[in-house]
Amino acid sequence: MHGRPRKKGAKWTNMYIMPDELIETIELDYEGKRDRWNGFDPSTYARVIDKYEAKDEARKNYLKEEQLKKLEDKNNNQCGDEAVSDGDDDDPSRDEAKVDESEQVDYAKVEKRVRTTGGGSTCTVRNLRIREDTAKYLYNLDVNSAYYDPKTRSMREDPNPDSDPNEKFYEGDNKHRKSGQAVDFNQLNMHVVEAYEKGHDAHMQAAPSQSELLYKNFMENKQKLKSKTKDTIMEKYGNAATEEDIPRELLLGQSESQVEYDRAGRIIMGQEMHIPRSKYEEDIYINNHTTVWGSWWKDGQWGFKCCKQSIKNSYCTGAAGIEAAEAATDLMKDNIARKEASEVLSMLVMYFFSYRKTCSSRGKKLASWGTDVPEDLILDQKRLNEALKKEDKRRWEERDERKRKYNVKYNDEVTAEDMEAYRMKKVRHMKEFV
């Protein structure tokens, strides 16, 4: 806290001996040092409130005086015309908010310096969005929604693509880029780029007027070429739209000619209308048939309805042919049923005999090679022991490949003892005993 400097120092006047400066040491914590309202006295804001209240009071008094003045002028002007005045000024209860808005018409006016080669110039930039509008980035607060560029205040994509289009207030900037004159401007840019690639000295940014004139001439020449091509085709093939009208009876299939009939159906006045016929032959009956070919269909085949025959060059047999065909069909069905019954019967007979054979051989012992072993078979015990040893040796050789010799000789003669030894040494599973 600093005091006002003195005109003469204390050491010269010997009065008010005290230091020139009052130094206060205030120690604040971490939050106190960073508090932007530290040391602020709320009572000082009362002066601001008093200032604005005085301004509002003066304004109300001014409006009241203006209103009284206009009423006096109106009363004094008894015989003259009605004074033309503004309706908003005549209303004493005019909304104060509207006055404030009228005073702040240029609230969005921004002075911007534009750097040029000659120094600088000032231009006016107005914000197109008013304060009551919702900001674009507030339509959808999802971080994965449409991207918002804060520098240009633009959002190209639709922030709410899944919502009802009739309830949307904003659908993205791309909607405006694809409507109105933006489409024509994009076509102009594409034409300039294609013309530059083909050798024309055109550039949209360097010479925009030249580019637009070039595009205009191109469209005129294109329209002339289309008109010329159309005229050439019409001259060669004609134009059905410019020819005479089609007769009404051909167009609508009817005419206005009057025809009268009697009670018997005979024509009294007028000409009978001819029934239109196709270019193909009709009502031609061949081979004594009374109906045409294709009047009957069954099982994927066409035929004659009069005799129900599916052969086109056949002779009509009439009702007798139909009865004969039905009888042949019934006979064929009976033969098929009889054959199926005989096949079922033969299968039952074979099953019966096989069952009897199985029951008769149930008491016999089955051999390993699938034949029945006779009950009166007598085996030599010595040969049987030799066959068992021989079978063990064979199995051992099959188990160990190193025991097998290179030149192995097999004997095709198999005796009853060998088969019995094989059957005794055979590995049996549980299903053989079931």
Side-chain angles (χ1 to χ4, degrees):
M1 182 176 180
H2 301 278
R4 183 175 61 85
R6 301 171 184 174
K7 187 177 181 180
K8 294 181 179 181
K11 67 176 183 178
W12 306 108
T13 59
N14 293 326
M15 296 174 63
Y16 306 106
I17 304 299
M18 61 180 61
D20 295 338
E21 296 181 356
L22 179 61
I23 300 175
E24 296 181 359
T25 57
I26 301 175
E27 295 182 1
L28 300 175
D29 55 355
Y30 180 83
E31 295 180 354
K33 294 178 181 179
R34 291 158 179 79
D35 187 7
R36 57 181 298 190
W37 299 103
N38 184 18
F40 173 73
D41 187 6
S43 60
T44 58
Y45 190 70
R47 293 180 295 178
V48 180
I49 297 176
D50 296 339
K51 176 183 176 181
Y52 280 94
E53 287 180 353
K55 185 185 294 186
D56 292 340
E57 189 67 23
R59 179 175 168 277
K60 290 180 181 178
N61 295 333
Y62 174 75
L63 293 176
K64 189 175 182 180
E65 292 176 359
E66 290 289 331
Q67 185 67 19
L68 292 174
K69 184 178 179 181
K70 289 181 180 180
L71 289 175
E72 291 177 358
D73 296 340
K74 187 175 182 181
N75 293 330
N76 294 331
N77 192 8
Q78 295 292 337
C79 61
D81 297 335
E82 294 183 357
V84 180
S85 61
D86 191 1
D88 292 341
D89 295 338
D90 294 340
D91 189 5
S93 60
R94 182 173 54 169
D95 190 5
E96 299 177 0
K98 293 183 179 179
V99 178
D100 295 338
E101 287 181 1
S102 62
E103 294 175 356
Q104 298 177 2
V105 173
D106 294 334
Y107 70 92
K109 184 176 179 181
V110 180
E111 299 294 338
K112 183 178 180 182
R113 299 285 295 179
V114 181
R115 295 183 180 180
T116 58
T117 56
S121 62
T122 304
C123 64
T124 302
V125 179
R126 293 185 180 272
N127 187 6
L128 299 179
R129 185 181 70 86
I130 61 178
R131 295 181 180 178
E132 288 77 9
D133 291 344
T134 305
K136 298 177 182 178
Y137 56 85
L138 294 179
Y139 283 108
N140 191 350
L141 299 179
D142 188 5
V143 295
N144 296 325
S145 63
Y147 173 72
Y148 174 74
D149 187 6
K151 184 176 181 180
T152 57
R153 296 181 182 179
S154 62
M155 181 181 288
R156 297 184 179 180
E157 298 180 0
D158 189 359
N160 299 312
D162 299 332
S163 59
D164 188 6
N166 298 326
E167 298 179 358
K168 289 183 180 180
F169 296 97
Y170 179 72
E171 299 182 7
D173 296 337
N174 285 337
K175 180 181 179 181
H176 303 288
R177 297 176 62 187
K178 298 178 182 178
S179 62
Q181 296 181 351
V183 179
D184 299 336
F185 185 73
N186 292 334
Q187 293 179 357
L188 173 61
N189 287 333
M190 291 298 298
H191 176 264
V192 172
V193 172
E194 293 177 357
Y196 180 78
E197 292 178 353
K198 293 180 180 179
H200 292 277
D201 187 10
H203 197 277
M204 190 61 194
Q205 285 72 29
S209 301
Q210 179 185 358
S211 303
E212 187 173 0
L213 182 60
L214 179 64
Y215 179 68
K216 183 179 180 181
N217 295 335
F218 170 75
M219 294 301 296
E220 291 179 356
N221 295 333
K222 182 179 179 180
Q223 190 65 27
K224 290 180 181 179
L225 182 61
K226 290 177 64 176
S227 302
K228 183 178 180 181
T229 305
K230 182 179 178 180
D231 296 339
T232 304
I233 295 175
M234 290 174 60
E235 183 180 356
K236 183 176 182 180
Y237 299 101
N239 187 5
T242 57
E243 293 179 355
E244 297 180 357
D245 296 337
I246 301 176
R248 188 178 181 85
E249 57 271 11
L250 297 179
L251 182 62
L252 303 177
Q254 60 184 1
S255 63
E256 296 181 357
S257 58
Q258 183 178 0
V259 181
E260 293 185 5
Y261 299 88
D262 59 1
R263 293 185 177 180
R266 294 184 294 270
I267 298 177
I268 299 176
M269 184 179 66
Q271 187 178 3
E272 185 178 3
M273 183 181 297
H274 295 283
I275 301 175
R277 295 178 177 273
S278 65
K279 63 180 181 179
Y280 302 99
E281 296 180 351
E282 295 182 1
D283 300 336
I284 295 178
Y285 307 106
I286 59 175
N287 297 335
N288 202 26
H289 288 285
T290 57
T291 57
V292 296
W293 169 259
S295 59
W296 179 72
W297 184 87
K298 185 179 181 181
D299 298 335
Q301 293 182 352
W302 295 97
F304 297 97
K305 186 178 181 180
C306 55
C307 57
K308 295 184 179 180
Q309 295 191 50
S310 58
I311 301 175
K312 188 172 183 179
N313 295 327
S314 63
Y315 192 82
C316 182
T317 56
I322 296 175
E323 294 177 357
E326 292 178 353
T329 304
D330 296 338
L331 181 61
M332 183 176 62
K333 291 181 179 179
D334 295 340
N335 293 334
I336 292 174
R338 192 181 302 108
K339 184 177 180 182
E340 291 179 353
S342 62
E343 290 178 355
V344 171
L345 182 61
S346 62
M347 290 177 62
L348 291 175
V349 172
M350 290 176 61
Y351 176 75
F352 175 73
F353 282 108
S354 63
Y355 178 74
R356 286 188 59 186
K357 186 176 181 181
T358 304
C359 293
S360 62
S361 61
R362 224 172 237 183
K364 298 182 181 181
K365 191 187 301 182
L366 294 178
S368 59
W369 62 90
T371 58
D372 297 338
V373 179
E375 298 178 355
D376 56 351
L377 180 62
I378 301 174
L379 299 175
D380 189 356
Q381 191 65 28
K382 185 177 180 181
R383 290 183 179 179
L384 181 58
N385 294 335
E386 293 178 355
L388 290 173
K389 293 179 180 179
K390 185 178 179 181
E391 182 67 19
D392 291 337
K393 183 178 180 182
R394 187 184 66 81
R395 289 179 179 274
W396 178 259
E397 290 178 356
E398 289 181 356
R399 187 183 306 171
D400 192 357
E401 295 291 337
R402 295 175 296 178
K403 300 294 184 180
R404 179 177 293 182
K405 297 180 181 180
Y406 290 101
N407 47 357
V408 181
K409 295 182 180 180
Y410 294 99
N411 187 8
D412 296 336
E413 296 179 1
V414 181
T415 60
E417 288 79 7
D418 295 337
M419 292 304 305
E420 185 67 17
Y422 173 76
R423 187 186 63 79
M424 293 172 65
K425 294 291 183 179
K426 180 182 178 182
V427 178
R428 290 176 172 80
H429 301 282
M430 292 299 298
K431 64 180 181 179
E432 295 185 9
F433 297 97
V434 177

